[in-house]
Amino acid sequence: MTDITHEGHGPDTFEARLQRQAQNLRRLKVERGDPSLRRIAARAKQISRGALLPIATQNAAFTGARFVSVDKIMLLVRTLMSWDENGEEVPAPDRRDPVLEEWRHRWRATAELRPRRSTVAKDSVLGRPPDEPTGAQAHVPRAPQVSGTAEAARSVEASGRVRRSAAAAPTGFISLLYEPLTSQPVHAVAFSPDGHFLATASSDGSVQLWDPATQPPVGHLLPTNRDWPVLGMAFSPDGALLATASRDSTVQLWDPATCTPVGAPLTGHSQPVLAAAFSPDGSLLATTGLDGTVRLWNPTTRASIGQPLTGHEGPAYAVAFSPDGTLLATASRDSTAQLWNPTTRAPIGQPLTGHKGPVRAVAFSPDGTLLATAGHDGTVRLWNPATRAPVGQPLTGHKGSVYALAFSPGRMLATTGLDGTVRLWDPVKRTPIGQLLTHHSEVVYALAFSPDGTLLATASRDGRMYRAAEGGRSTVKGLPLQLPSS
């Protein structure tokens, strides 16, 4: 259940309460599969027998740009609660369901601080505050609107330059500067193998390529269905291909050099595709999705290889190849991670268990001696891939689900998740490195290190670029990057 931000967090003003309500609504939206505004409008009409929830009203509620009446807020909350965390429809709570009382109480508290009109409006007499801002409200700065096709969930913040010497041990890692990379939510992020490209997948279904060194965009890839966002990305080892996994249940291959699609989309998954990974030699592409299957493809012929890998009792959230290509690891909602032989397509041993809830991410260390898994239980667990045995106690500290993790080329592990923080670890000592990175204001869904380990990119709703330095040495502050209009 969504942790509702309470009054004690920040100033107790009308504007501050509006923003806290908006933050809670955005968090609930993310936790319920991040439906688009159009889907919310259609679903609201369905569960309320015809009541309207216009996109403009949703924008106002999600951004805190203006006051929204209690009936619309409650309809929005009920509608969001009519999906589970994977975006699958579930029964909506009744209007009198106790789960709504906290939301209703917060709305009343906000309404009490609302600036009064000089004259009494008709809607106020009827007990329903109007939606339109007046008086002091008209001067409240409007937050950026949420796109009608936006799936404000896995938003990418290409966060950061991390300067550290190649031979230095991962200590003293200190974040310094944070710059917006995009103005809209992004779901995934990936560096090309040579480090020349940073790819970000935005909530409007587009994929943007950036020059990480100078920051300008260098290409604009347009997936075939702009209504369905890209949820995962991966470059091939030679950098000649970029694979994008989409909510429309397809995978598209692209030529990053020309920003053009390579062939038709790969089809086979029956539900949204969540992740993709190339084998180290580039001969295989593995994809996972909400249908719980793992599919292997030949990137050259774009043909599927054999039957899907099955065994998970729920959606498969993540996939990763070991550095030598002999192992494939997957993470699932069924609370397990599984190792596979990608050649025989057979599972290796029993599933890895220990997480109390869905496993969201998997990653191998550069030398292949460790496998890291991240869970809905807020922990990160380390495993020996050869013996499938846990290594030490779980890494703890995150408040809420850990959605992503990545190893640097050296000895560093980065983790992030629902609490919006980025934590750095020494995976050998299993101890934190440096300070907690807390500049994200929203959920962070993905992250990636550049091939040389000097950049850390994170995928979050607030679209920032992290710039950091070891030992406090400042880096040059870059300018905000803006996506070109489509």
Side-chain angles (χ1 to χ4, degrees):
M1 179 178 175
T2 302
D3 268 343
I4 296 181
T5 301
H6 294 269
E7 288 94 329
H9 293 72
D12 192 21
T13 64
F14 173 69
E15 291 81 5
R17 284 178 181 265
L18 273 184
Q19 290 305 314
R20 287 198 291 272
Q21 175 180 267
Q23 181 182 1
N24 289 328
L25 287 169
R26 293 195 301 268
R27 186 178 300 156
L28 178 62
K29 182 175 183 287
V30 165
E31 292 175 351
R32 298 308 175 111
D34 195 28
S36 69
L37 302 191
R38 283 187 287 183
R39 285 187 70 199
I40 294 173
R43 180 67 169 156
K45 188 175 182 180
Q46 179 184 12
I47 69 171
S48 64
R49 298 182 181 179
L52 299 180
L53 192 56
I55 287 177
T57 301
Q58 295 182 53
N59 267 319
F62 284 125
T63 63
R66 61 179 172 85
F67 190 71
V68 176
S69 60
V70 66
D71 58 331
K72 296 299 185 185
I73 291 293
M74 289 301 102
L75 177 56
L76 178 56
V77 172
R78 291 180 60 228
T79 302
L80 292 173
M81 289 184 175
S82 72
W83 287 291
D84 64 16
E85 64 178 5
N86 296 310
E88 299 297 318
E89 292 184 1
V90 295
D94 183 80
R95 291 192 190 97
R96 291 173 289 277
D97 194 307
V99 73
L100 301 176
E101 189 54 37
E102 180 76 359
W103 292 93
R104 200 172 280 113
H105 171 74
R106 299 297 165 197
W107 180 91
R108 292 194 192 105
T110 303
E112 289 176 1
L113 292 179
R114 188 185 184 197
R116 301 298 180 184
R117 295 188 179 202
S118 57
T119 58
V120 180
K122 178 180 178 182
D123 279 341
S124 297
V125 173
L126 296 176
R128 188 176 66 186
D131 284 352
E132 293 302 323
T134 60
Q137 284 179 266
H139 301 288
V140 177
R142 289 183 177 268
Q145 286 201 335
V146 182
S147 166
T149 59
E151 310 271 333
R154 296 190 182 185
S155 118
V156 155
E157 312 183 302
S159 87
R161 182 156 296 174
V162 181
R163 288 201 183 275
R164 46 190 297 268
S165 64
T171 58
F173 186 95
I174 301 174
S175 66
L176 294 178
L177 302 174
Y178 300 79
E179 283 301 319
L181 178 67
T182 82
S183 59
Q184 59 181 307
V186 187
H187 298 282
V189 62
F191 282 96
S192 62
D194 59 7
H196 291 167
F197 291 136
L198 170 65
T200 61
S202 299
S203 58
D204 65 353
S206 65
V207 174
Q208 178 71 55
L209 294 181
W210 308 87
D211 182 337
T214 61
Q215 298 186 3
V218 295
H220 202 199
L221 309 182
L222 302 177
T224 55
N225 191 342
R226 293 292 296 274
D227 288 337
W228 301 100
V230 169
L231 304 178
M233 296 189 299
F235 279 95
S236 61
D238 61 2
L241 292 174
L242 174 66
T244 57
S246 174
R247 193 183 281 269
D248 69 359
S249 305
T250 70
V251 178
Q252 179 66 60
L253 296 177
W254 304 86
D255 181 345
T258 62
C259 298
T260 56
V262 177
L266 308 181
T267 59
H269 285 283
S270 61
Q271 295 187 55
V273 188
L274 303 179
F278 283 92
S279 61
D281 63 3
S283 64
L284 293 176
L285 171 67
T287 59
T288 60
L290 281 183
D291 59 9
T293 67
V294 182
R295 291 180 177 268
L296 297 177
W297 313 83
N298 182 322
T300 303
T301 64
R302 302 187 303 282
S304 59
I305 299 176
Q307 295 298 309
L309 282 61
T310 60
H312 282 302
E313 298 178 359
Y317 291 130
V319 61
F321 280 94
S322 62
D324 63 4
T326 61
L327 294 175
L328 182 70
T330 55
S332 173
R333 185 183 180 182
D334 64 9
S335 304
T336 71
Q338 179 67 60
L339 292 175
W340 310 79
N341 182 323
T343 302
T344 64
R345 301 187 300 283
I348 299 176
Q350 295 298 309
L352 307 181
T353 60
H355 283 286
K356 298 177 181 179
V359 183
R360 293 285 188 170
V362 290
F364 285 93
S365 61
D367 61 4
T369 60
L370 288 175
L371 172 70
T373 59
H376 190 71
D377 57 6
T379 69
V380 175
R381 292 176 178 266
L382 299 175
W383 311 82
N384 181 327
T387 63
R388 302 187 304 282
V391 177
Q393 295 298 309
L395 307 181
T396 60
H398 282 288
K399 298 178 181 178
S401 295
V402 182
Y403 286 138
L405 44 75
F407 283 94
S408 73
R411 286 194 307 118
M412 185 183 294
L413 174 66
T415 62
T416 189
L418 185 63
D419 61 9
T421 68
V422 178
R423 292 175 180 268
L424 302 172
W425 311 85
D426 182 328
V428 176
K429 297 179 180 178
R430 299 186 299 282
T431 55
I433 297 173
Q435 68 188 50
L436 181 68
L437 306 183
T438 60
H439 288 65
H440 285 297
S441 59
E442 301 285 354
V443 179
V444 185
Y445 281 92
L447 47 73
F449 280 99
S450 61
D452 62 1
T454 61
L455 290 172
L456 174 63
T458 61
S460 174
R461 181 189 299 277
D462 52 13
R464 300 175 184 271
M465 171 164 289
Y466 283 144
R467 291 186 169 277
E470 184 181 14
R473 292 191 299 275
S474 177
T475 62
V476 178
K477 183 176 180 180
L479 296 174
L481 303 181
Q482 299 296 329
L483 288 169
S485 56
S486 53

